[in-house]
């Protein structure tokens, strides 16, 4: 027998229009009378329409998890369950997608089949942290759904005070600007610390994000506690023939206005023969000219990453960006990736031991100062860490000579290393 | 009696799946070996490898919150008109990769026939990154999917063309935590009243010291109300941020009238040209008005089209404002400048003009 459908006049208004409608999808699920989720989705639509009327949300959290894990499920219990009983439990499973969000249709179809059997039939691709969000599951079915998803090779993501699901850009898979193997870095780091994801025990959330270059397509500097951004140390590559072609095509004025003068450090100059002169030591690898003159300009060969620590969203001290903590880490050999993992471990350990409850690592750095943080994670100072040196004199510099000696020692270490390479 | 206890299945802690079994074969073969790319039209990328292998990508917008039927439709298109491999962008666009250029047009035709817009590349307005809202969040001030649907219906043309000075990234957040992130234009909930406290529930539901610690301005203190342990808010100090609402739901921050929408401008993730920036307040006090949020749409379009008309090539929205100055921005966007635009939170003086650089 067909159950009576909730009237949804407000949501119905979001069905027309040129953009694909999520309401169409919700209704299709509610109308799948032969499916176990039909009643749940009808009541879900009813509750959502109620929210549209009253302008209030009606979900509360709780505790739901799967065997052996403490996190990954976002429990949702309805506060208006008496009116919408079948969606009284509407939990989300956060599941990690393949790095770079690559799918074949077999994987997507398997996901749909599993969610049709145990869940609501509603899947968000993807959440802001990069999870596949299987939205809408009863408490009873959470374990069944996870078991089946786990059987096809998917694992739970992060939630709560824990290591969170990560994201990496398309990178090496389809981008000429990519400066390291993002898939390898993403999987190496996250899979090394799965215990921190599945059994939440950190002071608060901790996010890694991996972008192959400074275009930062996964928004790592803004959104990640630990941002890994691809870059290079040697000279950028210039194909002068392609430069000339570009200038011929768009004209000198356009080239000067949109490439040369848009360089943030004035490192570019157009020669009289329409070739490009680059002052490489002044270049900050911002990516603008490489983006614009895509065929002519490319990253150098000596590639690696810049690591920034401490990005986060508003709660509770306002949004913060990450701060440069490692200006350059070569990222090519097995040994390089081990170093990245070691750095990640040091930062996570420091965070676990020193952050206050509900404090992000950026807030910890705010509280204790960058130099104390660097001491804590065993990283030496570098002028690339600051926009400019301090402008106030309120600091005890009595150990200047010792500190200056350290700098000289580090400099000579580096030059020996470079010479050895 | 037989023992029916069954040991639950133990998870395979496999972590992040290896993407290579799912990746398009041309991407896999040329992994780390790409040379350049161009765009044949909005929504179509063409990449060439160092070995002159080529791949074409068709990008389509989705509603993000998808029913299994929509996903299966996308799979059918991928199997029949593409080569069975897709990926998703960080802004919930789907990308179909194909190894021959002549597959592009039929693929676009199939996607458009099912209502999926082709675009979101280059200097377009890409899909709006957003949060859960009333559909699933436990502390939402508004809906997310609905706001996005309404706006993208309106901005459809700017998704399928590349006519902006540079790319435009719009975000929405359904509370002030700003999970939607930084955007060229950000549409975020802005509360305007201190929380209304249900003192009967606080003691049972909330861990009071944790709630006190959560307040950014130390406006919450423990109190005995009607003989029950509860919390009280110094409303003179309260900045109406809603930080207390998540750890203590009886401190209701939302109401039909007081929950407003604010629009912010000039956030930028990329390091291209200028360093990454945060978005800045443009307008507050807009009504939370489902199902179409028309007042929000009006403001967004005003800002967007002022930028489209006045921005120079490659200038992101924030860089455009940086060049023309805030006075002209407020004029062009027809937005009042108020005392609320002047920051008074920590570090505020960094945002004040300490120079004789003045726009007339």
């Amino acid at each position: 027998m067909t159950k009576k459908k909730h009237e949804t006049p407000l949501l119905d208004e979001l069905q027309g229009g040129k953009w694909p409608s999520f309401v169409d999808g919700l209704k299709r699920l509610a109308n799948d009378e032969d499916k176990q989720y039909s009643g749940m989705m009808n009541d879900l639509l009813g509750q959502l329409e109620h929210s549209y009327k009253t302008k209030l949300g009606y979900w509360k959290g709780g505790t739901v998890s799967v065997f052996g894990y403490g996190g990954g499920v976002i429990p949702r219990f309805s506060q208006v369950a008496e009116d919408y009983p079948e969606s009284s439990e509407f939990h989300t499973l956060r599941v990690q997608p393949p790095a770079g969000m690559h799918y074949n249709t077999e994987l997507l179809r398997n996901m749909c089949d599993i969610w049709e059997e145990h869940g609501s039939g509603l899947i968000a691709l993807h959440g802001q942290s990069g999870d596949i969000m299987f939205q809408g599951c009863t408490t009873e079915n959470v374990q069944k759904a996870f078991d089946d998803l786990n059987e096809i090779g998917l694992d739970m993501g992060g939630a709560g005070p824990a290591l969170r699901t990560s994201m990496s850009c398309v990178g090496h898979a389809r981008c000429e600007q990519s400066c390291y193997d993002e898939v390898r870095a993403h999987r190496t780091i996250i899979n090394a610390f799965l215990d921190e994801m599945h059994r939440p025990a950190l002071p608060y959330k901790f996010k890694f994000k991996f972008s192959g270059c400074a275009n930062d397509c996964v928004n790592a500097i803004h959104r990640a506690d630990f941002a890994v951004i691809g870059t290079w140390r040697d000279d950028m590559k210039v194909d002068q023939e392609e430069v000339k072609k570009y200038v011929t095509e768009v004209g000198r004025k356009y080239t000067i206005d949109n490439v040369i003068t848009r360089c943030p450090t004035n490192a570019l100059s157009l020669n009289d023969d329409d070739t490009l002169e680059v002052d490489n030591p002044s270049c900050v690898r911002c990516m603008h000219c490489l983006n614009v003159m895509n065929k002519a300009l490319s990253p150098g060969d000596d590639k690696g990453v810049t690591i920034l620590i401490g990005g986060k969203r508003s709660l509770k001290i306002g949004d913060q960006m990450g701060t440069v903590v490692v200006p350059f880490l070569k990222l090519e050999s097995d040994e390089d990736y081990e170093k990245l993992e070691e750095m990640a471990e040091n930062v996570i350990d420091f965070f676990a031991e020193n952050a206050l409850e509900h404090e992000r690592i950026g807030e910890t750095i705010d509280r204790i100062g960058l130099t104390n943080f660097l001491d804590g994670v065993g990283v030496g100072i570098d002028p690339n860490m600051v926009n400019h040196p301090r402008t106030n004199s309120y600091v005890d510099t009595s150990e200047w000579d010792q500190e200056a000696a350290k700098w000289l020692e580090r400099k000579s270490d580096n030059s020996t290393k470079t010479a050895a390479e | 009696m037989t023992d029916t206890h069954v040991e639950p299945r133990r998870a395979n802690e496999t972590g992040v799946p290896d993407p290579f079994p799912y990746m398009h074969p041309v991407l896999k073969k040329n992994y780390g070996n790409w040379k350049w790319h161009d765009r044949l039209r909005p929504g179509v990328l063409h990449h060439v490898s160092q070995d002159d292998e080529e791949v074409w990508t068709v990008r389509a917008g989705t509603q993000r919150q998808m029913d299994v039927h929509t996903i299966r439709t996308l799979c059918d298109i991928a199997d029949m008109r593409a080569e069975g491999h897709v990926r998703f962008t960080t802004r919930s666009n789907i990308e179909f990769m194909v190894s021959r250029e002549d597959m592009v047009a039929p693929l676009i035709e199939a996607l458009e026939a099912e209502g999926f817009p082709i675009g979101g590349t280059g200097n377009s307005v890409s899909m709006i990154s957003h949060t859960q809202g009333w559909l699933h969040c436990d502390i939402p001030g508004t809906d997310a999917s609905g706001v996005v649907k309404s706006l993208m219906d309106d901005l459809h043309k700017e998704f399928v063309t590349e006519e902006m000075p540079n790319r435009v990234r719009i975000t929405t957040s359904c509370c002030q935590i700003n999970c939607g992130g930084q955007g060229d234009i950000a549409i975020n909930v802005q509360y305007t009243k201190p929380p209304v406290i249900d003192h009967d529930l606080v003691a049972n539901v909330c861990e009071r010291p944790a709630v006190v610690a959560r307040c950014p301005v130390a406006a919450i203190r423990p109190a005995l109300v009607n003989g029950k342990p509860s919390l009280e808010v110094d409303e003179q100090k309260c900045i109406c941020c809603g930080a207390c609402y998540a750890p203590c739901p009886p401190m209701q921050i939302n109401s039909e009238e007081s929950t407003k929408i604010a629009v912010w401008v000039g956030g930028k993730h990329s390091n291209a040209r200028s360093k990454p920036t945060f978005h800045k307040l443009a307008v507050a006090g807009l009504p939370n008005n489902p199902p179409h949020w028309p007042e929000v749409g009006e403001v967004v379009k005003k800002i967007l089209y002022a930028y489209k008309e006045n921005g120079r090539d490659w200038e992101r929205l924030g860089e455009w404002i940086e060049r023309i100055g805030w006075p002209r921005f407020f004029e062009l966007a027809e937005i009042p400048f108020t005392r609320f635009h002047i920051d008074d939170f920590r570090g505020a003086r960094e945002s004040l003009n300490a120079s004789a650089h003045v726009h007339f």
Side-chain angles (χ1 to χ4, degrees), chain A residues 65-78:
Chain A
S65 57
V66 297
F67 183 65
Y69 286 3
V73 181
I74 310 296
R76 289 291 176 256
F77 296 93
S78 174

Side-chain angles (χ1 to χ4, degrees), chain A residues 406-421:
Chain A
K406 280 187 202 168
W407 168 252
L408 294 172
E409 196 182 318
R410 266 164 54 81
K411 269 187 76 166
S412 74
D413 272 6
N414 283 347
S415 56
T416 329
K417 249 190 245 161
T418 316
E421 273 170 9

